[in-house]
Amino acid sequence: MLDVRRLRLLRELQIRGTLASVAAALHQSPSSVSQQLSLLEQEVGVELLRKVGRRVQLTPQAEILVEHTSAVLERLERAESDLAASLDEATGTFRLAVFQSVALALMPATLSILETEHPRLRVTMTQREPESALYETWAREFDLVIAEKYPGHNTPWHPELDAVDLTTDEVRLAVPPAGSRFGDITSIAEAARAPWVMEPSGVASRHFAEQACRVAGFEPDVRYETADLQAQISLIESGHAVALLPDLLWLNRTPPVTLHRLAGRPRRTIFTSARRASAHSPGVTATRQALSRAVAEGR
């Protein structure tokens, strides 16, 4: 009988690429991981790893084992989920990944609901960009991720993850208050003369904003880059920049900047993803329900 824990190490190595990355993710030492994989090789009686420079590479036989390991782990997770669902109570630690606008607008109310109705569920929240958080949820670092999708920009696809829409919000042009520098701008085309603040390259909101500017006939002068939306708002409010911002930021607060609708009124979609094997577990179900209530109560 093959050791599932050692098989999982082999799968983690395929996902993460290096023994050091596997060790860090699983809170073990690289030497311990290497030793466990050597024992797995002895168990199966074939070579599983080959040295390529300073790294190791999985052999074709190792790839076969990883494919079966993924199926075994999914089946075990489904068994745990079914067992937990039979108890009809959300308990234990639940790991949630969120991006900033959701953390600001929805998480305080969501956590309050969970604390009141599911006191035995311990929720941990980590801020991550959706692109990386989806991958990390697939890799079993999180139980649920809240992600976003902008028009014309699809998120990475992982077959083991589901996707459940939570809400949508409109994306608008945010400019300084009337009377301020650049406060007279009312459209993207007019914003060609202003400095822009955007999130770093590689994220959906940056791609959407750049494309919107190019459709309007100019390349934006992205003078400021920050993933901190509060910092973006401060730069706009003080007259230093303009930006495209989603409406969720203004939930339960008055915008300190001037907002203008874009042509076509584009909307961002916010959704949650969990591994299909655990999608019906009490923790996932309770958190999704609490998020939906937080959205409804904030409208």
Side-chain angles (χ1 to χ4, degrees), residues 45-66:
V46 297
E47 183 184 38
L48 298 178
L49 303 175
R50 291 175 183 160
K51 284 191 175 181
V52 180
R54 295 184 178 182
R55 300 166 68 96
V56 291
Q57 187 177 66
L58 273 66
T59 64
Q61 291 71 35
E63 296 286 355
I64 292 172
L65 278 179
V66 167

Side-chain angles (χ1 to χ4, degrees), residues 2 31 36 39 42 45 55 57 82 98 105 121 128 189 194 218-220 223 229 234 242 250 274:
L2 298 176
S31 61
Q36 292 299 311
L39 290 173
Q42 295 175 27
R55 300 166 68 96
Q57 187 177 66
D82 289 347
V98 305
L121 185 67
R128 286 281 195 278
F218 68 96
E219 190 68 26
R223 205 171 297 180
L229 297 181
S234 293
V242 300
W250 321 120

Side-chain angles (χ1 to χ4, degrees), residues 129-131 148 150 153 198-208:
E129 289 300 328
E131 288 80 3
E148 62 182 349
Y150 279 80
H153 188 281
M198 293 187 184
E199 294 196 47
S201 298
V203 301
S205 61
R206 173 67 174 263
H207 177 267
F208 173 78

Side-chain angles (χ1 to χ4, degrees), residues 6-152:
R6 291 172 188 155
L7 288 170
R8 184 193 174 196
L9 290 176
L10 190 66
R11 179 181 181 274
E12 291 288 337
L13 182 58
Q14 183 207 49
I15 293 172
R16 303 181 190 281
T18 67
L19 292 171
S21 297
V22 174
L26 300 182
H27 308 290
Q28 299 183 25
S29 67
S31 61
S32 174
V33 171
S34 179
Q35 183 182 26
Q36 292 299 311
L37 290 174
S38 296
L39 290 173
L40 181 60
E41 279 190 322
Q42 295 175 27
E43 288 178 352
V44 300
V46 297
E47 183 184 38
L48 298 178
L49 303 175
R50 291 175 183 160
K51 284 191 175 181
V52 180
R54 295 184 178 182
R55 300 166 68 96
V56 291
Q57 187 177 66
L58 273 66
T59 64
Q61 291 71 35
E63 296 286 355
I64 292 172
L65 278 179
V66 167
E67 182 179 354
H68 287 285
T69 299
S70 296
V72 168
L73 291 175
E74 182 177 357
R75 189 70 183 183
L76 288 173
E77 187 171 21
R78 194 178 297 276
E80 291 176 348
S81 177
D82 289 347
L83 181 62
S86 71
L87 300 174
D88 199 29
E89 182 182 8
T91 62
T93 295
F94 187 82
R95 303 163 301 170
L96 181 63
V98 305
F99 58 97
Q100 192 188 34
S101 58
V102 164
L104 293 170
L106 297 180
M107 287 313 300
T110 298
L111 292 173
S112 294
I113 292 169
L114 290 173
E115 288 173 0
T116 300
E117 300 184 3
H118 304 278
R120 296 183 62 193
L121 185 67
R122 177 179 179 267
V123 179
T124 65
M125 184 186 78
T126 305
Q127 185 174 315
R128 286 281 195 278
E129 289 300 328
E131 288 80 3
S132 59
L134 286 163
Y135 173 84
E136 291 166 332
T137 301
W138 171 72
R140 292 176 165 79
E141 291 189 21
F142 297 106
D143 299 304
L144 185 72
V145 55
I146 307 173
E148 62 182 349
K149 183 168 57 177
Y150 279 80

Side-chain angles (χ1 to χ4, degrees), residues 211-249:
Q211 291 302 310
C213 292
R214 289 165 186 163
V215 168
F218 68 96
E219 190 68 26
D221 176 16
V222 184
R223 205 171 297 180
Y224 313 107
E225 278 192 6
T226 176
D228 187 340
L229 297 181
Q230 299 285 57
Q232 289 194 21
I233 293 170
S234 293
L235 287 170
I236 300 167
E237 184 181 9
S238 58
H240 294 291
V242 300
L244 297 184
L245 295 177
D247 275 354
L248 191 65
L249 282 172

